[in-house]
Amino acid sequence: MLEEVERWLTSRSWSVGDRTLDRLLVAKATRATTVSVVLPALDEQETVGDIVSVIRRELMEEAPLVDELVVVDSGSSDRTSEVAAAAGARVVHRDAILPRLPAVPGKGDVLWRSLLATSGDVVCFVDADLREFSADFVSGIVGPLLTDPDVQFVKAMYDRPLGSGAAGSGERAAAGQGGRVTELVARPLLNLHWPQLAGFVQPLGGEYAVRRSLLERLPFPVGYGVELGLLVDALRLVGLDALAQVDVGVRLHRHQDDSALGRMAAAIYRTAQNRLSRAHLVRPVLTQFERGEKGFEPRTHPVDTEERPPMREIAEYASRRAA
């Protein structure tokens, strides 16, 4: 791992408990910062209501941390919009935002359009398929943006069990698994081409908060590549020290099947390709993370990039054939 990243992990990786809610409210009032929370949603009637209810109750009614809670429906065929509205969100349909540009399928297009449907100085994105949702996912990643003016982009980090592990589900969560596209595609790409970003535990996570002043300067890949694209482009624009991550515990959500993961991986790879038109360092090491006594701990491994030449170019082999 680069020394710069090791320093960053010490200075820009926090736990949700590092900032109390009272402290955040004071910082928010002092700097007169407004906060918008956006949930992009497609057929999430089973989970979106609980997420909205928790945010509204704990971060709007009991403590005024969030000023605006918006669900952007990207064409649901179920009752996502009705459930979200009943729980207390303002619901906007994707097609109603900037209608002169026809919407295209994809999460990135929805996130991009949400900037026109919100007004907060800080925009916090939360996926709408989370189960057993905690308000820490919002307060944790918004916190550094309220208390530290030098921070501009904050990602959530968490354990991501493979399997729901939800009470009464009958399904046992496997600790330390999940995030398969992260481990097989995104993390190798970042380590090899953007090693300054090797310290992010969940680079593809859908929970992150960003200053609007930065978001409005970033291009948005329209599909699954949006998280990687935003992270890479934010590094280019504002540098590593303006980026941060906060440990919020455990994330439980619906997992995709292999076909969907394949499409996701392809979109992420294509997003990286588009950015590799610039000259980037290729560094043959991979940093992964394990949770230890002090939180997430990096483990760096070499990536085997050595190749053997064609055997006919080896003198011993050529002499044997000649004999």
Side-chain angles (χ1 to χ4, degrees):
M1 181 177 287
L2 298 175
E3 291 185 8
E4 179 185 6
V5 178
E6 291 181 349
R7 292 193 298 269
W8 178 85
L9 281 170
T10 300
S11 64
R12 287 290 187 262
S13 291
W14 295 291
S15 170
V16 67
D18 291 338
R19 294 171 178 81
T20 66
L21 187 55
D22 286 342
R23 179 185 172 193
L24 299 185
L25 293 174
V26 170
K28 180 179 188 295
T30 300
R31 294 185 171 88
T33 305
T34 54
V35 176
S36 298
V37 175
V38 172
L39 276 68
L42 176 63
D43 294 333
E44 302 294 357
Q45 66 178 13
E46 301 300 325
T47 51
V48 68
D50 288 341
I51 299 172
V52 169
S53 295
V54 169
I55 296 172
R56 173 159 287 282
R57 181 179 65 252
E58 298 185 26
L59 300 180
M60 299 181 80
E61 296 170 358
E62 297 176 3
L65 187 73
V66 173
D67 301 282
E68 189 176 34
L69 177 54
V70 178
V71 169
V72 182
D73 190 327
S74 57
S76 297
S77 59
D78 64 4
R79 298 182 61 252
T80 291
S81 290
E82 294 90 332
V83 171
R90 176 164 63 88
V91 179
V92 183
H93 196 281
R94 170 197 63 189
D95 296 341
I97 307 172
L98 200 62
R100 70 176 180 83
L101 291 180
V104 296
K107 178 183 179 182
D109 191 51
V110 174
L111 299 183
W112 178 69
R113 289 172 188 270
S114 76
L115 298 183
L116 278 167
T118 57
S119 59
D121 303 313
V122 169
V123 182
C124 175
F125 299 118
V126 176
D127 281 349
D129 65 342
L130 304 188
R131 292 191 291 268
E132 300 181 22
F133 179 77
S134 168
D136 288 348
F137 272 77
V138 173
S139 60
I141 57 178
V142 167
L145 297 167
L146 298 178
T147 61
D148 190 335
D150 294 328
V151 175
Q152 298 200 45
F153 190 124
V154 183
K155 295 279 292 190
M157 57 177 166
Y158 36 73
D159 289 311
R160 191 177 178 188
L162 184 60
S164 71
S169 67
E171 183 179 358
R172 183 178 179 180
Q177 298 184 34
R180 290 160 287 173
V181 176
T182 292
E183 297 301 329
L184 297 176
V185 181
R187 199 178 306 287
L189 283 171
L190 292 176
N191 275 258
L192 294 171
H193 299 294
W194 295 278
Q196 286 178 298
L197 298 175
F200 277 94
V201 175
Q202 295 290 354
L204 299 185
E207 291 70 48
Y208 47 103
V210 192
R211 296 194 192 279
R212 178 177 293 272
S213 57
L214 173 57
L215 278 176
E216 63 192 15
R217 298 164 60 196
L218 296 174
F220 279 64
V222 297
Y224 287 126
V226 62
E227 272 81 30
L228 183 130
L230 291 178
L231 195 58
V232 167
D233 291 339
L235 174 69
R236 176 175 56 86
L237 282 180
V238 297
L240 183 60
D241 282 343
L243 314 181
Q245 60 185 350
V246 175
D247 186 351
V248 297
V250 178
R251 183 185 197 263
L252 298 176
H253 70 117
R254 182 186 68 252
H255 289 276
Q256 303 281 355
D257 61 27
D258 288 349
S259 294
L261 292 178
R263 295 190 294 273
M264 185 182 301
I268 290 164
Y269 183 75
R270 181 57 179 155
T271 299
Q273 272 191 322
N274 288 340
R275 282 150 181 79
L276 285 171
S277 58
R278 315 177 191 117
H280 286 291
L281 173 67
V282 177
R283 188 167 179 263
V285 296
L286 174 69
T287 298
Q288 297 175 310
F289 291 87
E290 297 176 5
R291 186 182 283 279
E293 294 181 358
K294 299 181 179 180
F296 286 102
E297 299 176 356
R299 300 284 187 269
T300 299
H301 311 275
V303 175
D304 183 6
T305 55
E306 185 177 353
E307 295 184 16
R308 300 297 187 191
M311 185 57 73
R312 68 180 187 176
E313 297 178 13
I314 303 300
E316 291 86 344
Y317 185 80
S319 63
R320 190 187 74 174
R321 287 179 60 86

